[in-house]
Amino acid sequence: MKPRKRLVLLLWMLVCSATTEAIEPISTSIAVGMAAALTGFLASYQNILYYFNECCRPEWISFNRTGLEADLNRKLFGQHIASRIILKAVNGFMSNENPKKPLVLSLHGWTGTGKNFVSQLIAENIYREGMDSSFVHVFTSELHFPHSSQIETYKIQLQQWIKGNVTNCARSMFIFDEMDKMHPGLIDSIKPYLDYYDKLDGVSYRKAIFIFLSNAGGESIIQTALDFWTSGRIREEIELRDLETVLSLSVFNNKKSGLWHTSLIDKNLVDFFVPFLPLEYRHVIQCVLSEMEARRIPPDKNVADQVARDLIYFPKSERIFAVKGCKTIESKLDYYT
Ligand SMILES: *[C@@H]1O[C@H](CO)[C@@H](O)[C@H](O)[C@H]1NC(C)=O
Ligand SMILES: *[C@@H]1O[C@H](CO)[C@@H](O)[C@H](O)[C@H]1NC(C)=O
């Protein structure tokens, strides 16, 4: 390591730890003093900020309510229920200085309806580094826990990861993708962390956020949306309570997803079940236009129409909902522009 880099790293460690409670006031002020001196010394170097690493401090982690609200309104399409619940849940949790348990959200819905995207929006409005933050952790069963024969090893590993990361930073976020493919034993192993414990082995998990993504209940959500459409009612009239029962019923009836769900519901560990509705043609158009804006190309309604027309819709006769939602839009757009 080059001396300059080593110095910056030392500075970072001092600054990062300057506010942790474990440090006594005197050593804190020494640390701050040294940090200030070092900063003065290093300020003459360019690119110092480049080296400046992310810390578990309010400069790097703070919730932007207006940001999340604006993002949900502007970038998430066709999800009036999810939008509302997410904002309320995250805002309530982040404004509570002393939450009684970690925030646990379970997002349900078909592919491409925005579950991953919403997790990203939440991360971006809490962590300055967004999904790249070292305090945001994404687990996918196929990637992290592929072999069911090694489940016992995975359990220990996952527990150690969660414990280690929350010890490092209480405001850590864990996203579990494809929860329905996760081995039920693994879910069991993380249950204690989701519960109302003051501390487990000296670590408090109450400021952490857990987000579970799954297709479980997706079919019942689609059925409800379809029923509304068939009876000529507008989609925005669908309310959470129209979906809550179908969601929990299908979840309980479905053997595969039932296992993990039942035990999480039984113990009330999940704070919010968030349904994602299937997307219609007009939402796909919005997704394409939004993607164009993000790429800084002029929004073109014709191209958006072309992209949306090329997708597959169901039910076959009525062609109402996009089979893959907004999922394949990015690659399709490359092709048309
Ligand atoms: C919060 O988000 C809004 C909207 O994106 C943005 O204008 C504002 O600068 C953000 N505030 C902070 C403190 O980052
Ligand atoms: C934090 O989690 C990651 C997985 O996302 C893991 O690789 C890492 O070892 C964990 N850190 C600690 C300190 O346990």
Side-chain angles (χ1 to χ4, degrees):
M1 209 185 271
K2 284 191 192 144
R4 195 207 307 178
K5 205 164 177 186
R6 200 183 305 153
L7 210 56
V8 175
L9 207 63
L10 174 69
L11 169 67
W12 167 65
M13 281 162 60
L14 286 171
V15 174
C16 258
S17 57
T19 55
T20 56
E21 291 153 24
I23 298 181
E24 290 157 28
I26 288 194
S27 50
T28 306
S29 49
I30 291 174
V32 170
M34 280 178 71
L38 278 171
T39 311
F41 172 68
L42 285 164
S44 52
Y45 287 107
Q46 276 186 330
N47 289 339
I48 172 161
L49 286 177
Y50 174 80
Y51 291 110
F52 215 75
N53 286 285
E54 187 188 25
C55 315
C56 181
R57 286 163 49 89
E59 288 90 331
W60 295 87
I61 307 176
S62 74
F63 177 52
N64 184 347
R65 186 190 190 281
T66 28
L68 181 61
E69 187 167 20
D71 279 351
L72 289 169
N73 285 338
R74 279 201 351 251
K75 300 181 185 165
L76 181 71
F77 304 113
Q79 304 299 354
H80 65 283
I81 303 174
S83 223
R84 230 164 20 215
I85 306 177
I86 295 283
L87 184 63
K88 198 175 135 221
V90 177
N91 189 41
F93 180 73
M94 293 300 290
S95 8
N96 184 352
E97 272 303 304
N98 194 12
K100 295 277 176 288
K101 75 187 276 303
L103 177 65
V104 185
L105 303 173
S106 192
L107 315 191
H108 300 258
W110 214 241
T111 338
T113 48
K115 303 187 298 290
N116 275 293
F117 185 58
V118 159
S119 319
Q120 185 189 322
L121 295 183
I122 297 174
E124 282 169 1
N125 285 288
I126 295 179
Y127 304 90
R128 230 169 82 188
E129 302 286 287
M131 293 299 282
D132 294 331
S133 165
S134 49
F135 309 121
V136 175
H137 309 275
V138 182
F139 301 108
T140 314
S141 80
E142 271 163 30
L143 201 65
H144 294 93
F145 321 109
H147 309 295
S148 55
S149 58
Q150 290 175 35
I151 183 74
E152 292 308 318
T153 317
Y154 294 151
K155 276 188 193 173
I156 295 167
Q157 201 174 47
L158 181 58
Q159 287 184 330
Q160 279 170 353
W161 283 347
I162 294 180
K163 184 174 178 189
N165 281 298
V166 174
T167 307
N168 268 349
C169 186
R171 277 268 184 248
S172 288
M173 184 162 137
F174 302 92
I175 301 171
F176 291 82
D177 199 2
E178 299 180 332
M179 190 74 167
D180 15 18
K181 292 191 189 135
M182 205 75 75
H183 192 289
L186 264 182
I187 317 286
D188 273 339
S189 73
I190 62 166
K191 261 161 61 180
Y193 306 120
L194 313 179
D195 215 334
Y196 291 83
Y197 291 114
D198 194 10
K199 279 183 176 169
L200 280 178
D201 286 341
V203 181
S204 168
Y205 296 86
R206 299 193 296 180
K207 288 202 164 170
I209 299 180
F210 291 83
I211 302 181
F212 302 138
L213 314 181
S214 77
N215 292 339
E219 275 148 24
S220 329
I221 298 172
I222 289 172
Q223 192 53 51
T224 306
L226 197 55
D227 290 345
F228 266 71
W229 188 88
T230 318
S231 56
R233 300 174 65 185
I234 62 165
R235 172 191 181 94
E236 285 70 25
E237 279 177 16
I238 305 176
E239 288 181 40
L240 179 60
R241 66 180 134 86
D242 296 313
L243 294 162
E244 246 169 358
T245 39
V246 283
L247 202 58
S248 55
L249 277 182
S250 76
V251 156
F252 278 119
N253 288 340
N254 183 340
K255 273 224 176 75
K256 235 175 73 200
S257 70
L259 283 173
W260 63 270
H261 248 105
T262 316
S263 66
L264 291 179
I265 294 176
D266 270 357
K267 289 202 70 192
N268 286 318
L269 296 179
V270 175
D271 301 299
F272 296 91
F273 288 93
V274 189
F276 282 71
L277 300 170
L279 297 182
E280 299 172 12
Y281 186 89
R282 59 189 164 122
H283 304 123
V284 175
I285 297 273
Q286 287 178 303
C287 289
V288 182
L289 292 175
S290 167
E291 178 64 24
M292 286 173 154
E293 196 188 324
R295 293 188 191 183
R296 300 186 194 292
I297 44 183
D300 184 334
K301 187 77 171 33
N302 287 332
V303 174
D305 260 325
Q306 263 178 345
V307 174
R309 256 202 311 270
D310 264 13
L311 299 184
I312 302 166
Y313 295 82
F314 69 96
K316 267 212 174 79
S317 46
E318 294 98 341
R319 301 187 79 236
I320 308 165
F321 304 122
V323 171
K324 291 199 175 151
C326 284
K327 196 164 193 168
T328 52
I329 288 209
E330 285 186 25
S331 52
K332 287 250 159 56
L333 196 55
D334 291 336
Y335 177 78
Y336 286 105
T337 51

